[in-house]
Amino acid sequence: MKPTLVSLALIAALAGCSQTDGNNLNQAEAGNNATSQDTQVATNSVYQDMLDRFVTIDMKADLATLSDIDKQVLRKLIQVADILDEVYLRQTYEDNASIKAQIQESSHTDKELILSLYELHYGPWDTLEGDQNFFGEIKRPDGAGVYPTDMTKEEFNEWIRLHPEDEAEFKSGYTVIRRQGTKLIAIPYSQYYAKEMKASASLMREAAELTLDQSLKTFLTKRADAFLNDEYRDSEMAWMDLDGSLEVAIGPYETYTDKLFGYKTFFEAFITVRNPEDSAKLDVYKKYLKEMELNLPIPNEHKNLQRGSESPISVVDQVAGGGDNKPAVQTTAFNLPNDEYVREVKGSKKVMLKNVLNAKYKAVMQPISGLIIAKEQQSLLMESYFFNETLFHELSHGLGPGTIIKDGKTTSVAEQLQETYSKIEEGKADVMGAYNMLFLMDKGELPMAEKNNMLVTYFAGLFRSMRFGVHEAHGAGAAFQYNYFKEKQAFSFDNETQRYTVDFDKMPQAITDLVREVCMIQALGEYQASKAFLDKYAVMADEVAALNIKMEAIPTDIRPNYPVI
């Protein structure tokens, strides 16, 4: 049986480390705790069960078309990814390295399993169980390692109120907030992580010198500059123009780990090889982006018709990752850049990680559907719509409200919704993806005969994401879709068989209604409405919690083992 919150609390007590004011470790007390671990009772099965929630899969990637120069470039970039791993560990929690040392120095019976969990989750917290401790007692701070661990939202906002000249730097995605005596100060990433940024920039310039791909050369050179001056916009523009055999995203991007405000970006790397044939097949969808925006079920004044029309779609195989891309649940696709200015000028790029998608479908999605979908609807599940839902999820990130006017000032949805933004946005992208597939079926670009296949596959996919937990953005987004559809009676649940049946008449209307409600929260920049919506809908329903126990034999996610380049 997989660990529950109770078992995780027991683990934390058994493996306890000391904690002092501000969540900083007291080294002397930590040493005493390490000594006490000599007599601990083995809990091997519990730790092993936690690891078994992830199935290790040897990932395949077609590297036959790569030149020797391409492979040399890849090796340089994989070195950068490894450096960003270390930066991300610090961003997640400043004292992560000392926690790892404590595990290594302890005499805990299950030390090797705990170390493996630490490497999996990038810290001593189980990210599938609401960041419960599996080692020590230090609570994971909402501000991760990019704010003082004892700083509150109120203190941050009060500082800005008293020092309005600091607002831009404090809210920047590229600064760390620290204490300096009685003051709060913002330190640019290029200074705070200077050693790692200089090493990464040097390697990227070496890779730029090697490559014959002019678009990659330009991006790597500009991104190397950005690592040293924190000016990322120019390199984000250059990233949109990548069109060679290698597709790489390297830098500070997502803000999920900042649960205090959602302001700060975290470093990551996707090192991938493009599949030009599969990428070309998806070009047809790009021409509909403006029509998809116009088709949104919200008033025209809230539609974002100013975004750039470029929307390249790349189908790739991932060959390495780093930083925010690696912990626990694996990314299947991404839509970048997140800079709203760049999106309005140039649009955004969608990158589909085909080998990751295929591995997840076989290891996780198929078994879940076989367990929870009514037998008469199981045959409707289609792998192509698991791929399409992921694709249209990413397309939908580029649709709907982005830059908005709030209280007479130009701002962004992300800034107004703060820490609620990621959960709202991930759920929006999910349900809008289904909404847009229905739209393209009406247009004849997707087969109308496969409408029910799409609806069943989309609905079943919610259960895969809800297993991540409602504390996590994708899990919360899936939960609010499930509970909204439940309220709209868009599916039925048989208590005896514990299986679901999708109502093909009610589900499309429920999808439309949910797209409208979420987009209006974003369009109006209503933080309190966002919180209230999540409080009501982004919760784990009792029957889903029971099914999660039933699904324990199915891996929650994959642990990829990428090929050696």
Side-chain angles (χ1 to χ4, degrees):
M1 182 172 178
K2 300 295 183 286
T4 63
L5 294 182
V6 174
S7 67
L8 287 167
L10 174 61
I11 293 168
L14 288 171
C17 290
S18 184
Q19 179 178 357
T20 59
D21 291 343
N23 284 335
N24 290 319
L25 292 174
N26 181 302
Q27 297 300 324
E29 291 182 20
N32 291 335
N33 285 334
T35 302
S36 71
Q37 290 163 359
D38 293 347
T39 59
Q40 288 176 355
V41 177
T43 53
N44 182 78
S45 61
V46 177
Y47 294 114
Q48 189 62 58
D49 281 349
M50 294 169 71
L51 290 170
D52 287 346
R53 298 177 79 169
F54 296 83
V55 57
T56 300
I57 295 180
D58 290 331
M59 304 300 287
K60 297 178 180 178
D62 184 3
L63 308 178
T65 60
L66 295 184
S67 68
D68 288 341
I69 289 178
D70 285 336
K71 292 178 181 178
Q72 290 179 55
V73 170
L74 281 177
R75 293 185 192 107
K76 295 281 187 186
L77 298 180
I78 290 171
Q79 288 181 262
V80 176
D82 291 340
I83 293 172
L84 297 187
D85 251 10
E86 297 304 314
V87 176
Y88 179 73
L89 267 172
R90 286 181 62 193
Q91 286 188 296
T92 302
Y93 185 64
E94 188 70 23
D95 289 325
N96 250 336
S98 65
I99 291 176
K100 181 178 182 180
Q102 289 176 50
I103 299 172
Q104 291 171 325
E105 293 165 7
S106 77
S107 299
H108 196 290
T109 308
D110 297 315
K111 179 169 67 175
E112 294 307 316
L113 293 176
I114 296 172
L115 279 171
S116 187
L117 282 169
Y118 173 95
E119 299 291 348
L120 174 65
H121 292 287
Y122 279 52
W125 306 282
D126 187 339
T127 55
L128 294 183
E129 293 285 358
D131 291 333
Q132 292 288 316
N133 291 72
F134 55 80
F135 183 85
E137 298 175 353
I138 295 173
K139 181 181 181 294
R140 185 169 186 167
D142 286 343
V146 290
Y147 303 93
T149 54
D150 60 346
M151 189 201 75
T152 63
K153 293 184 70 171
E154 292 74 20
E155 181 184 4
F156 181 92
N157 289 328
E158 179 66 8
W159 181 272
I160 291 176
R161 187 185 72 81
L162 296 173
H163 306 87
E165 69 278 7
D166 289 343
E167 181 172 6
E169 283 191 339
F170 270 50
K171 290 185 177 181
S172 166
Y174 311 120
T175 62
V176 172
I177 306 301
R178 287 290 177 261
R179 294 194 184 281
Q180 187 178 73
T182 60
K183 296 172 56 180
L184 290 175
I185 60 170
I187 307 173
Y189 282 176
S190 61
Q191 295 178 25
Y192 198 76
Y193 306 113
K195 178 182 176 182
E196 293 87 353
M197 293 300 98
K198 289 176 182 177
S200 296
S202 178
L203 285 164
M204 286 192 290
R205 289 196 175 108
E206 290 174 17
E209 285 291 323
L210 283 169
T211 186
L212 302 179
D213 176 350
Q214 188 57 50
S215 64
L216 181 59
K217 186 186 294 288
T218 300
F219 167 67
L220 292 176
T221 301
K222 290 179 179 292
R223 183 47 55 99
D225 291 342
F227 274 12
L228 302 180
N229 62 21
D230 304 293
E231 298 291 337
Y232 283 89
R233 186 162 288 168
D234 198 23
S235 58
E236 297 283 44
M237 296 278 203
W239 182 77
M240 285 291 296
D241 297 328
L242 284 182
D243 61 0
S245 57
L246 305 183
E247 181 73 72
V248 296
I250 300 177
Y253 292 111
E254 306 296 355
T255 62
Y256 304 122
T257 310
D258 176 3
K259 296 178 182 178
L260 197 64
F261 289 107
Y263 292 154
K264 304 303 179 183
T265 59
F266 288 73
F267 284 91
E268 66 183 330
F270 291 90
I271 313 299
T272 76
V273 177
R274 181 182 279 114
N275 183 318
E277 292 79 15
D278 285 353
S279 298
K281 291 176 185 176
L282 302 182
D283 280 348
V284 63
Y285 300 128
K286 294 189 294 186
K287 69 180 182 182
Y288 284 105
L289 285 173
K290 190 72 74 176
E291 289 185 61
M292 288 180 195
E293 184 73 42
L294 288 167
N295 185 56
L296 292 178
I298 58 176
N300 285 337
E301 63 264 30
H302 297 305
K303 294 174 183 176
N304 194 337
L305 302 175
Q306 307 307 313
R307 281 190 175 130
S309 58
E310 289 184 43
S311 187
I313 302 172
S314 286
V315 179
V316 303
D317 283 333
Q318 185 168 355
V319 296
D324 200 17
N325 165 223
K326 289 179 67 176
V329 175
Q330 298 298 295
T331 300
T332 55
F334 56 90
N335 176 62
L336 293 173
N338 290 327
D339 185 325
E340 192 58 40
Y341 174 85
V342 179
R343 287 182 181 231
E344 292 189 1
V345 173
K346 298 203 70 159
S348 60
K349 185 192 299 184
K350 291 76 183 160
V351 180
M352 310 292 294
L353 307 174
K354 186 177 180 180
N355 55 346
V356 179
L357 275 162
N358 290 345
K360 289 200 182 202
Y361 182 80
K362 292 177 174 62
V364 182
M365 186 66 182
Q366 277 185 319
I368 287 177
S369 176
L371 196 63
I372 58 104
I373 297 297
K375 292 188 183 299
E376 61 270 23
Q377 290 190 351
Q378 278 189 27
S379 63
L380 295 173
L381 191 78
M382 288 181 68
E383 184 172 6
S384 61
Y385 281 101
F386 180 61
F387 180 92
N388 281 346
E389 170 57 25
T390 305
L391 169 63
F392 281 88
H393 172 108
E394 298 305 331
L395 287 170
S396 297
H397 273 311
L399 300 171
T403 297
I404 60 174
I405 304 296
K406 178 76 171 177
D407 299 329
K409 294 173 59 178
T410 299
T411 181
S412 69
V413 174
E415 182 171 351
Q416 292 304 310
L417 298 193
Q418 298 181 46
E419 83 282 358
T420 69
Y421 172 73
S422 293
K423 294 179 178 180
I424 290 287
E425 176 62 21
E426 289 304 329
K428 179 215 82 172
D430 261 0
V431 67
M432 191 184 286
Y435 179 81
N436 285 327
M437 281 190 281
L438 291 170
F439 173 68
L440 288 187
M441 286 177 180
D442 289 336
K443 288 285 185 180
E445 288 294 352
L446 289 171
M448 182 62 76
E450 294 175 356
K451 178 179 179 180
N452 293 350
N453 300 88
M454 184 277 286
L455 291 173
V456 169
T457 307
Y458 158 64
F459 180 70
L462 299 180
F463 293 84
R464 182 184 71 86
S465 296
M466 281 190 285
R467 297 176 80 200
F468 306 156
V470 296
H471 61 284
E472 190 271 344
H474 301 79
F480 80 59
Q481 291 168 81
Y482 174 89
N483 288 307
Y484 191 92
F485 297 152
K486 180 181 178 180
E487 182 177 273
K488 297 288 186 177
Q489 299 180 324
F491 61 81
S492 59
F493 178 67
D494 188 319
N495 283 305
E496 184 175 340
T497 64
Q498 292 192 304
R499 291 179 179 271
Y500 290 90
T501 301
V502 175
D503 188 316
F504 297 128
D505 294 323
K506 293 181 180 178
M507 183 61 82
Q509 186 60 51
I511 287 171
T512 300
D513 293 344
L514 182 54
V515 170
R516 179 184 301 110
E517 187 159 347
V518 173
C519 280
M520 287 309 299
I521 290 173
Q522 292 188 323
L524 299 176
E526 295 184 339
Y527 174 72
Q528 292 302 329
S530 179
K531 285 193 69 174
F533 180 86
L534 292 175
D535 287 344
K536 180 179 180 180
Y537 292 109
V539 295
M540 191 67 72
D542 290 342
E543 65 275 16
V544 176
L547 281 172
N548 282 343
I549 295 174
K550 186 178 178 181
M551 290 187 283
E552 284 176 341
I554 301 171
T556 301
D557 206 59
I558 65 170
R559 196 171 186 180
N561 183 24
Y562 290 110
V564 176
I565 304 298

